[in-house]
């Protein structure tokens, strides 16, 4: 396995997430509310011999940390359903007027 380069996203440097301990800390500091507890619950409920599922869970939560470090992604995630519905209605009206 080769070393992965450090990722620097739109929000600046991303914390190390090479081990479960580092990922748990990154979730605590940079994750969305409830991410760390949900990560622990999901990982705690999987058989450690199911390496595919363990990898899927860790990759999903690493991605959540990356999203939280990207201001555009974090803003999109935090949008309300009403805001998204309003935008879709506006775009449909604009498209219908062409």
């Amino acid at each position: 396995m080769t070393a992965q380069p450090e990722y620097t996203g739109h929000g600046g440097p991303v914390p190390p997430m090479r081990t479960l301990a580092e990922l748990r800390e990154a979730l605590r500091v940079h994750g969305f509310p409830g991410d760390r507890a949900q990560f622990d619950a999901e990982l705690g409920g999987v058989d450690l011999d199911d390496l595919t599922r363990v990898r899927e869970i860790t990759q999903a939560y690493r991605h959540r940390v990356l999203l939280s470090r990207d201001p555009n992604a974090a803003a999109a995630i935090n949008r309300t359903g009403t805001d998204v519905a309003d935008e879709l209605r506006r775009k449909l009206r604009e498209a219908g007027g062409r």
Side-chain angles (χ1 to χ4, degrees):
M1 180 185 258
T2 60
Q4 298 297 310
E6 288 298 318
Y7 175 82
T8 302
H10 296 287
V14 178
M17 295 181 281
R18 292 182 197 93
T19 66
L20 290 175
E22 287 177 347
L23 177 53
R24 289 179 83 238
E25 181 63 13
L27 287 167
R28 185 186 70 75
V29 175
H30 302 287
F32 296 100
D35 274 357
R36 182 171 170 181
Q38 185 68 26
F39 171 72
D40 288 341
E42 284 188 45
L43 200 57
V46 83
D47 184 337
L48 289 181
D49 289 331
D50 187 354
L51 297 179
T52 299
R53 185 67 187 128
V54 171
R55 185 184 76 239
E56 289 170 351
I57 292 167
T58 56
Q59 286 177 338
Y61 282 91
R62 287 182 76 205
H63 187 70
R64 289 185 64 77
V65 171
L66 295 177
L67 285 173
S68 74
R69 301 292 296 153
D70 182 329
N72 295 327
I77 288 169
N78 288 318
R79 290 180 67 185
T80 66
T82 302
D83 182 41
V84 172
D86 289 345
E87 181 179 350
L88 288 173
R89 277 192 287 278
R90 181 181 50 79
K91 287 184 176 185
L92 287 170
R93 276 194 310 270
E94 290 172 1
R98 290 181 189 170

